[in-house]
Amino acid sequence: MIIKNKARNLLISISFFIIVFLNFIAQTVFVEKYYWLNVVKNYGLISISVLLLIIFILSKHTRKSLISSLLIILLAIVVSYYSANPYAIMPWILMVVNVDATNYKHLIKLWVIEIGILMLFVAVSYSLGWLDESRKILVRSDGATRYSLGYVYTTFSANYFFHFTIFYIYIRTMAIRYSELLVLLIINYYVYDLTDTKAAFVISGLSILLVVILKIYNIRVTENVYRVVNKYVLIVCTFIPIILTYLYGMGYGVLDELNRILTSRLQLGWNAINIYNINLFGQKIEWVNETQYLSEIQYLYVDSSFLNILLNYGIVLLFLILLSFYLLGKLNLTKNLSYLIAISMIGIHSMFDPQFLLIMYNPLIIMPGILLRRNILSN
C-alpha cells in the first residue's frame, strides 16, 4: 500500500512540528520546574521516529532512492549506538529520508510560525513570572547579569531569535519590508542587551544589512555566484574552525588573541580532540556543562558545530552532510537568493556555535532529503 501524497505530507508536517516542539521545550526553564518533561521528550521522539519509519515504508520509492535511504538509516543507527545522544540523530535522519522538494519549503514556513509562537509564549511566561531565571545564569565580564529569559542557558533566546531572523527573511525573500527588518533588528538588539550573546546579534545585523543593500541597489546575483557559494560555503565554514583549532594546539602564539576573542573556543576544541580523538562513527561524550563547572570539574564543551559533529558523531556523518549540501549547490536545486543568504549566515554562525545539526534551530538540515527523493515524483 502506497500512502497518498496529501496524507503523507500532513503526517510529515505533524511529525516535524512535534520534533521541533519537544526539543524546544527541553531548552526552556519548564524542564527545571517539571523534570518529567525530559522523559516525555525522549519517549515522544521515539514515537515520532516510529511514525516516520512507517511513513517511509508506505511511501513511493525508486530503487536508487530506497537503497540510498536504507544505507543512511543504517548509518544513523550505527552513529546513534556509538553517540551519547541518539535522540538527536534518528528523528532528524527519518525526516531527511521522507522530505522532498514538494514539502520542505512548507516545513520551513511551519518552523517560522511554530518557533515564533513558542518564543512569544516563553517571553510572556517569563514576563508574568511563570518562568524564573535558569540555575545556569552567567555574569558578564563587567559584572552585569546575563539573563536567561526563560531558557535553561543564557544564549538560547538570542540564538533562537537569530535563526528566526534568518528564516523569516528566507520565507519573505526580497518582498520583506524595511519596517519588518527594523523590527527584527530592534528585537535582536534587545535580546543581545539582556543576554550579551554577541555572535547571534552581529550576524543577524549583517544579514539584515545585506538584505537592505540588495533591496536598495536591486543587486542581481549571477548563476555562477549561486553555484560557488552554495557548493562551498559549508565546506569552508567547516575547515576554518578545525584548522584554527589544530594550529592553536600546535603552539602558534598568534592565535592566542583570537582564542581570547572567541572565549577560549580554540583551546576547548583542542582539549576535546586530545581527550576524545576523532572516530568514524562518533563516540559517547559527556560534555561538562555549567552545573559541573561550578564544582571542581573543569568545563569542557565544543561550540563549533562542525567540530562538535566530528567529535560526537564521527567523520562519516560530517562528510555526508557536507557532500549533500555540496550536491544541492552543484545541481542548482537551491538557486535562490534567500537560500544563499540563509546557508551563508548559518554556516558562518555555526563555525563557533553549536546549533547547525539541531532541527529546532536549523530546519535547513532536512534539505538533503531532496537529493534522495528528487526524481520520485516524475517516475
Side-chain angles (χ1 to χ4, degrees):
M1 181 180 72
I2 301 296
I3 189 171
K4 293 183 178 179
N5 280 335
K6 286 186 177 180
R8 180 178 177 277
N9 288 337
L10 176 61
L11 290 172
I12 289 174
S13 296
I14 292 172
S15 301
F16 179 81
F17 182 93
I18 295 174
I19 291 171
V20 171
F21 175 81
L22 292 173
N23 282 290
F24 179 93
I25 290 297
Q27 293 195 320
T28 68
V29 178
F30 282 116
V31 296
E32 293 184 354
K33 295 183 67 175
Y34 310 106
Y35 294 102
W36 50 266
L37 283 175
N38 271 320
V39 177
V40 171
K41 171 201 166 187
N42 292 339
Y43 280 106
L45 291 176
I46 291 171
S47 300
I48 291 301
S49 296
V50 172
L51 174 60
L52 286 169
L53 184 60
I54 293 172
I55 295 170
F56 173 78
I57 293 170
L58 297 180
S59 296
K60 181 179 179 181
H61 302 280
T62 62
R63 181 178 179 182
K64 181 179 178 181
S65 73
L66 180 61
I67 294 173
S68 300
S69 297
L70 290 175
L71 288 174
I72 290 172
I73 292 173
L74 178 61
L75 172 63
I77 293 171
V78 173
V79 171
S80 295
Y81 173 78
Y82 281 105
S83 75
N85 188 16
Y87 302 106
I89 297 298
M90 287 308 302
W92 160 56
I93 286 294
L94 290 168
M95 280 297 308
V96 167
V97 298
N98 278 297
V99 78
D100 56 47
T102 66
N103 57 25
Y104 91 91
K105 289 183 179 178
H106 165 75
L107 294 177
I108 292 178
K109 290 179 181 178
L110 176 62
W111 182 93
V112 170
I113 295 170
E114 181 179 5
I115 290 297
I117 293 172
L118 289 174
M119 289 195 72
L120 181 60
F121 174 70
V122 171
V124 171
S125 299
Y126 178 80
S127 299
L128 295 176
W130 300 343
L131 291 176
D132 300 321
E133 285 294 335
S134 171
R135 295 192 298 269
K136 300 175 184 177
I137 192 169
L138 299 178
V139 177
R140 308 179 202 227
S141 56
D142 60 2
T145 300
R146 297 180 66 186
Y147 296 97
S148 66
L149 303 181
Y151 298 83
V152 295
Y153 190 67
T154 303
T155 61
F156 286 175
S157 59
N159 281 313
Y160 269 117
F161 200 76
F162 158 73
H163 287 87
F164 177 85
T165 299
I166 295 299
F167 289 107
Y168 185 84
I169 292 172
Y170 180 91
I171 64 173
R172 292 286 287 131
T173 65
M174 290 301 105
I176 192 170
R177 298 184 180 93
Y178 293 114
S179 58
E180 295 172 80
L181 293 170
L182 180 61
V183 170
L184 290 172
L185 182 62
I186 291 172
I187 298 175
N188 270 287
Y189 179 77
Y190 177 74
V191 175
Y192 159 71
D193 187 54
L194 292 174
T195 66
D196 196 34
T197 309
K198 296 181 180 67
F201 173 65
V202 169
I203 301 176
S204 292
L206 287 175
S207 304
I208 292 168
L209 178 61
L210 178 60
V211 175
V212 169
I213 292 172
L214 291 169
K215 284 174 68 68
I216 290 175
Y217 295 102
N218 196 27
I219 297 173
R220 303 298 178 190
V221 179
T222 65
E223 186 169 319
N224 284 336
V225 171
Y226 282 122
R227 284 184 181 274
V228 171
V229 173
N230 291 347
K231 283 195 300 183
Y232 297 111
V233 65
L234 287 187
I235 296 174
V236 172
C237 290
T238 295
F239 281 96
I240 286 177
I242 292 175
I243 291 172
L244 287 175
T245 299
Y246 270 98
L247 290 176
Y248 172 84
M250 293 170 65
Y252 285 83
V254 69
L255 293 176
D256 288 342
E257 180 62 18
L258 179 60
N259 180 59
R260 185 191 67 79
I261 293 171
L262 294 172
T263 59
S264 299
R265 279 169 165 80
L266 300 182
Q267 179 185 355
L268 291 167
W270 180 249
N271 291 344
I273 290 172
N274 279 303
I275 292 171
Y276 295 108
N277 296 315
I278 294 171
N279 301 306
L280 281 177
F281 301 107
Q283 59 200 303
K284 289 178 171 60
I285 299 177
E286 296 295 335
W287 298 111
V288 180
N289 58 36
E290 279 64 35
T291 300
Q292 294 167 310
Y293 174 62
L294 296 176
S295 70
E296 296 180 356
I297 300 175
Q298 186 177 5
Y299 174 83
L300 182 63
Y301 187 78
V302 172
D303 285 287
S304 167
S305 288
F306 307 111
L307 183 54
N308 193 301
I309 294 169
L310 191 61
L311 286 162
N312 271 308
Y313 306 119
I315 296 171
V316 176
L317 185 64
L318 179 60
F319 172 78
L320 287 178
I321 291 171
L322 296 180
L323 177 62
S324 65
F325 280 96
Y326 172 84
L327 292 175
L328 285 169
K330 182 178 181 180
L331 297 172
N332 237 3
L333 299 175
T334 52
K335 193 183 75 172
N336 65 76
L337 191 55
S338 296
Y339 175 82
L340 185 146
I341 294 172
I343 196 66
S344 299
M345 294 303 163
I346 287 176
I348 292 169
H349 182 261
S350 298
M351 288 197 296
F352 297 105
D353 277 276
Q355 292 87 28
F356 183 80
L357 193 61
L358 304 178
I359 197 170
M360 65 283 199
Y361 287 100
N362 178 23
L364 285 186
I365 199 64
I366 65 175
M367 286 190 66
I370 298 173
L371 293 169
L372 295 173
R373 299 184 57 83
R374 63 194 172 96
N375 295 321
I376 290 175
L377 295 178
S378 60
N379 278 281

